[in-house]
Amino acid sequence: MAKRITFDKDYLLEVLKLNFQYKIIKDKIFDEVLELDERTAYRFCLTTNSYYLIDKFGLRLFGRFRTFNHRNYSLNQGLFLIETSNGKIINNNLPVTLYSKYPFIYNGKKKIIFIDGNETSDIIEETFNKIVSNGGDYREYIVNIVHKNGSQWEHYFEFMASEIFIKKGYFTDIQLPWSYHGKPDFGIYKHQLLNILKSANLIENGALILELSALRLFGVKSNLSKSRKTTIKFAYESIVGEVKTIQKKSQILRYLKIGLSFKGYEFIPDKKQREYYSGLIKINPQNKIILDPAPINPYFDENKVKRDLEWFECYLKIHLLGNLYLDELEKLMKKTTNQSELTFKNLISLVNKIDFNEIVGVIENGL
């Protein structure tokens, strides 16, 4: 009889290997580990409760680079931090700062160690010590603790949904800032910036929005043609998604009724048939991910979407500006807005006056 979800590392590895062609390799210390390129591993750490082994405590990226809690222009501490005394932005949470301390995060393939358990701090310290005592390089490893009770498995499915649509050429996002309407699990977007980044060779197909602040660190995709398009056909599309691990129902209809999304998806592994109003991502008894396409949202409101697009473009630009060093950001702000004080208010003013091509040009070439 074909196996179903067992909420253990073996099932997780099987689903990842079968559906994404990731490599399971033999490791001299941990036997079987999942090998990912540095960029996919980065996305995995941005979307799941995983730890880079910088020391015996580890470094978690989940939630580190947040920007907005709501779909408004009130920027929150996360990607950019402020000094509470004068409101000035400081530099200690940008990817470029993280790179200066731990460049290995952005370079070289990574080995993901999946460990069944619950005691996070003990497992990370034990794993770190095991690597060091066996003469291994802890910088090559990432630890992910698999909760066998199903806790945090929604994050794995969010990652899978994100990777599926990145390959299809979309932007993706997790834990969406949706004002006071709740917090959907994942989002999928078509936007003109995708073509701009492809033309600059900074992405191949799509991207997780949270990784946009590290484009400079991952560098140019050398296998792509280096020809910047001068005209870009603009089309915007927003899709909302909800994940459930055990339940067969989600809040997707509630989010569709808001009217901001063109379509919606549920990711419910054991669900058999999609609802009439949404698509369905499921896992069959052979552990193959199946995608039942989504219909057009019957509650789609074009006028609401046009207004929401203004905020979404601000959201994208904020993450792109996260590639810059603070001195570059200060120069760009002075040039564009005639303001030199790095505050959240002035950063939003900059975002409202600068276009995508100019930001991408600074990411590529500096100021």
Side-chain angles (χ1 to χ4, degrees):
M1 183 177 178
K3 62 183 178 181
R4 300 302 299 155
I5 295 178
T6 53
F7 297 122
D8 62 27
K9 65 178 182 180
D10 292 332
Y11 176 79
L12 181 58
L13 280 168
E14 175 64 21
V15 172
L16 291 171
K17 178 183 177 182
L18 177 65
N19 293 281
F20 300 96
Q21 292 74 54
Y22 298 148
K23 290 183 179 179
I24 309 295
I25 64 171
K26 287 288 185 180
D27 181 73
K28 65 180 181 180
I29 303 175
F30 297 99
D31 193 22
E32 286 191 343
V33 296
L34 178 68
E35 183 181 69
L36 297 177
D37 66 84
E38 60 268 38
R39 195 160 184 167
T40 306
Y42 188 67
R43 291 199 296 264
F44 185 75
C45 288
L46 288 170
T47 55
T48 66
N49 200 28
S50 302
Y51 295 80
Y52 285 96
L53 289 179
I54 62 169
D55 53 27
K56 67 179 182 179
F57 302 107
L59 174 68
R60 190 177 77 154
L61 297 188
F62 186 84
R64 184 183 180 94
F65 301 128
R66 63 187 179 276
T67 51
F68 297 95
N69 287 335
H70 307 292
R71 296 177 96 80
N72 57 31
Y73 297 95
S74 179
L75 192 59
N76 291 272
Q77 295 195 52
L79 181 61
F80 295 97
L81 298 183
I82 59 172
E83 295 276 14
T84 55
S85 59
N86 59 14
K88 189 173 182 180
I89 294 172
I90 57 175
N91 189 15
N92 65 353
N93 214 28
L94 294 172
V96 288
T97 303
L98 192 63
Y99 177 83
S100 69
K101 297 178 180 177
Y102 313 111
F104 60 86
I105 288 176
Y106 299 94
N107 292 289
K109 293 179 179 179
K110 298 294 181 286
K111 300 173 185 177
I112 317 295
I113 311 163
F114 292 99
I115 300 174
D116 290 326
N118 293 301
E119 300 299 325
T120 300
S121 59
D122 291 343
I123 290 174
I124 293 171
E125 183 173 0
E126 289 169 6
T127 304
F128 180 82
N129 291 338
K130 185 175 182 179
I131 294 169
V132 173
S133 63
N134 282 276
D137 186 350
Y138 62 86
R139 296 171 296 182
E140 296 177 355
Y141 295 92
I142 292 167
V143 173
N144 182 273
I145 300 166
V146 181
H147 295 254
K148 299 185 75 171
N149 62 1
S151 172
Q152 300 186 15
W153 273 69
E154 288 189 3
H155 296 322
Y156 299 136
F157 297 133
E158 289 163 14
F159 169 75
M160 293 177 198
S162 175
E163 291 299 299
I164 288 168
F165 283 95
I166 284 172
K167 285 182 172 59
K168 292 178 180 291
Y170 289 83
F171 282 131
T172 63
D173 199 11
I174 61 161
Q175 301 300 303
L176 312 188
W178 261 44
S179 290
Y180 305 102
H181 302 299
K183 191 177 284 289
D185 292 320
F186 65 93
I188 305 157
Y189 306 92
K190 281 286 188 183
H191 188 273
Q192 63 171 329
L193 179 60
L194 284 158
N195 289 331
I196 295 172
L197 296 178
K198 287 178 188 177
S199 297
N201 291 358
L202 291 170
I203 64 172
E204 187 171 0
N205 297 305
L208 178 68
I209 289 174
L210 291 171
E211 77 176 290
L212 295 183
S213 57
L215 291 175
R216 175 182 276 178
L217 302 177
F218 288 115
V220 170
K221 300 287 292 183
S222 60
N223 60 323
L224 304 179
S225 61
K226 185 65 176 177
S227 59
R228 178 65 64 87
K229 296 176 183 177
T230 55
T231 59
I232 297 170
K233 183 179 180 181
F234 174 65
Y236 174 64
E237 183 177 316
S238 170
I239 301 171
V240 67
E242 270 291 284
V243 176
K244 293 297 177 187
T245 54
I246 299 173
Q247 304 97 313
K248 299 298 189 293
K249 286 282 188 180
S250 76
Q251 304 98 315
I252 191 66
L253 183 57
R254 171 189 171 193
Y255 295 131
L256 288 172
K257 285 183 175 180
I258 295 167
L260 294 178
S261 298
F262 188 61
K263 297 178 182 179
Y265 276 95
E266 292 181 310
F267 194 140
I268 304 179
D270 276 338
K271 191 165 183 171
K272 303 302 181 185
Q273 293 184 335
R274 71 170 181 85
E275 304 291 344
Y276 75 90
Y277 45 77
S278 71
L280 176 64
I281 306 171
K282 58 191 177 184
I283 302 177
N284 72 14
Q286 291 73 45
N287 297 332
K288 183 70 175 176
I289 295 176
I290 307 296
L291 192 151
D292 293 339
I296 295 173
N297 176 14
Y299 304 98
F300 179 72
D301 188 325
E302 189 171 347
N303 290 325
K304 285 185 178 180
V305 172
K306 286 179 180 178
R307 293 194 298 270
D308 188 66
L309 177 58
E310 295 180 7
W311 175 86
F312 182 70
E313 293 194 335
C314 171
Y315 186 51
L316 291 176
K317 289 176 183 178
I318 286 290
H319 282 281
L320 289 176
L321 290 172
N323 284 274
L324 308 187
Y325 293 96
L326 285 198
D327 62 336
E328 291 178 304
L329 197 54
E330 287 175 342
K331 290 177 184 177
L332 186 61
M333 187 172 290
K334 183 69 174 177
K335 172 186 172 184
T336 308
T337 69
N338 205 31
Q339 298 287 335
S340 57
E341 188 81 3
L342 279 178
T343 64
F344 283 2
K345 180 181 178 181
N346 288 343
L347 187 58
I348 296 297
S349 296
L350 170 62
V351 161
N352 288 332
K353 292 186 178 181
I354 197 168
D355 65 33
F356 287 110
N357 280 296
E358 188 172 359
I359 301 175
V360 172
V362 176
I363 292 171
E364 290 181 285
N365 306 309
L367 277 170

